[in-house]
Amino acid sequence: SQTIHQWPATLVQPVGSPLSLECTVEGTSNPNLYWYRQAAGRGLQLLFYSVGIGQISSEVPQNLSASRPQDRQFILSSKKLLLSDSGFYLCAWSRTGLLGYTFGSGTRLTVV
Amino acid sequence: SQQGEEDPQALSIQEGENATMNCSYKTSINNLQWYRQNSGRGLVHLILIRSNEREKHSGRLRVTLDTSKKSSSLLITASRAADTASYFCATDAVRSTLGRLYFGRGTQLTVWP
């Protein structure tokens, strides 16, 4: 069966520090991968999506970047965090032709 | 940009009552999906309804879709305290060939025992 792993679960980082959040999928190949951010009490904002290794599309301009070094690995990064980067980050995967996303358990990032 | 908007933002009911949540969206869609999120957790896919369907059932869940009004509703019958969560609708826009989903802000459902 397919599983998605996301870590760490919580993270407190100072302003200006770098960020690396990792997401991996098991039990499937060629997944579509997504990074979402959820601000407190708000909906989910699509940040990045990827349909293959090295293929990254950004939905909104921001202080973050994403990479997909392997088929089932998706990384969210920042060189210098801002206070506004705080939020709940969710990774998800889907398959073309199969409907519905499977989400990871999320990372709560607090920038102080 | 967010495509779907849920209404109400918050809903509080007693166990055994039915809960109805609504979703409105802006552009033509391929399908509409409902997700549930327990506090501080990831989202869980509940049900999907395609643009050519009008109603769908799954257990205690009933989803309707009115493409002429660009709206959907999620009905949870005989609610339980364990149904307490946030519920989100998500749409897959017609022009999107990559399955990108756009979520609303959600309805926070509280079911009191």
Side-chain angles (χ1 to χ4, degrees), chain A residues 17-94:
Chain A
S17 65
L19 173 74
S20 180
L21 302 181
E22 188 162 343
C23 172
T24 60
V25 180
E26 296 179 358
T28 187
S29 58
N30 298 319
N32 298 324
L33 295 171
Y34 311 87
W35 278 111
Y36 282 85
R37 176 171 60 202
Q38 184 178 30
R42 302 294 299 276
L44 279 73
Q45 181 185 35
L46 179 60
L47 301 176
F48 300 96
Y49 61 95
S50 171
V51 298
I53 296 174
Q55 301 179 58
I56 309 294
S57 296
S58 174
E59 279 289 299
V60 294
Q62 58 214 314
N63 184 42
L64 302 168
S65 62
S67 61
R68 185 170 177 173
Q70 299 179 46
D71 181 47
R72 289 170 286 181
Q73 184 184 30
F74 204 23
I75 298 171
L76 183 69
S77 304
S78 174
K79 292 182 180 178
K80 288 185 179 181
L81 284 169
L82 306 172
L83 287 174
S84 58
D85 292 324
S86 293
F88 191 50
Y89 288 83
L90 289 156
C91 180
W93 76 271
S94 72

Side-chain angles (χ1 to χ4, degrees), chain A residues 32 34 36 38 41-44 46 49 51 59 88 90 94 99-101 103-106 108, chain B residues 1-2 31 33 35 37 40-43 45 48 50 88 92 98-105:
Chain A
N32 298 324
Y34 311 87
Y36 282 85
Q38 184 178 30
R42 302 294 299 276
L44 279 73
L46 179 60
Y49 61 95
V51 298
E59 279 289 299
F88 191 50
L90 289 156
S94 72
L99 303 171
Y101 281 15
F103 280 85
S105 54
R108 183 157 309 279
Chain B
S1 63
Q2 289 178 318
N31 63 76
Q33 305 178 33
Y35 287 78
Q37 183 183 33
R41 306 297 297 272
L43 279 74
H45 181 256
L48 178 150
R50 299 175 189 269
F88 295 87
D92 173 3
L98 298 173
R100 282 170 286 174
L101 288 182
Y102 295 92
F103 290 79
R105 290 188 172 86

Side-chain angles (χ1 to χ4, degrees), chain B:
Chain B
S1 63
Q2 289 178 318
Q3 164 78 308
E5 289 294 337
E6 293 87 349
D7 171 65
Q9 289 187 340
L11 182 60
S12 186
I13 59 175
Q14 294 290 129
E15 265 191 330
E17 294 180 342
N18 296 341
T20 300
M21 290 160 269
N22 303 297
C23 170
S24 60
Y25 57 92
K26 298 175 184 174
T27 63
S28 296
I29 60 173
N30 291 317
N31 63 76
L32 186 144
Q33 305 178 33
W34 285 91
Y35 287 78
R36 165 196 170 121
Q37 183 183 33
N38 284 46
S39 181
R41 306 297 297 272
L43 279 74
V44 175
H45 181 256
L46 294 176
I47 194 166
L48 178 150
I49 186 165
R50 299 175 189 269
S51 61
N52 61 353
E53 297 176 311
R54 292 297 168 259
E55 188 171 313
K56 202 162 185 179
H57 298 254
S58 176
R60 293 185 296 114
L61 304 180
R62 173 177 168 254
V63 170
T64 62
L65 179 65
D66 186 335
T67 53
S68 67
K69 295 181 179 178
K70 292 188 170 59
S71 67
S72 173
S73 67
L74 171 66
L75 169 68
I76 304 175
T77 61
S79 62
R80 306 166 183 168
D83 294 328
T84 295
S86 291
Y87 292 83
F88 295 87
C89 70
T91 53
D92 173 3
V94 165
R95 278 189 247 168
S96 169
T97 58
L98 298 173
R100 282 170 286 174
L101 288 182
Y102 295 92
F103 290 79
R105 290 188 172 86
T107 292
Q108 173 61 52
L109 173 66
T110 303
V111 182
W112 299 99

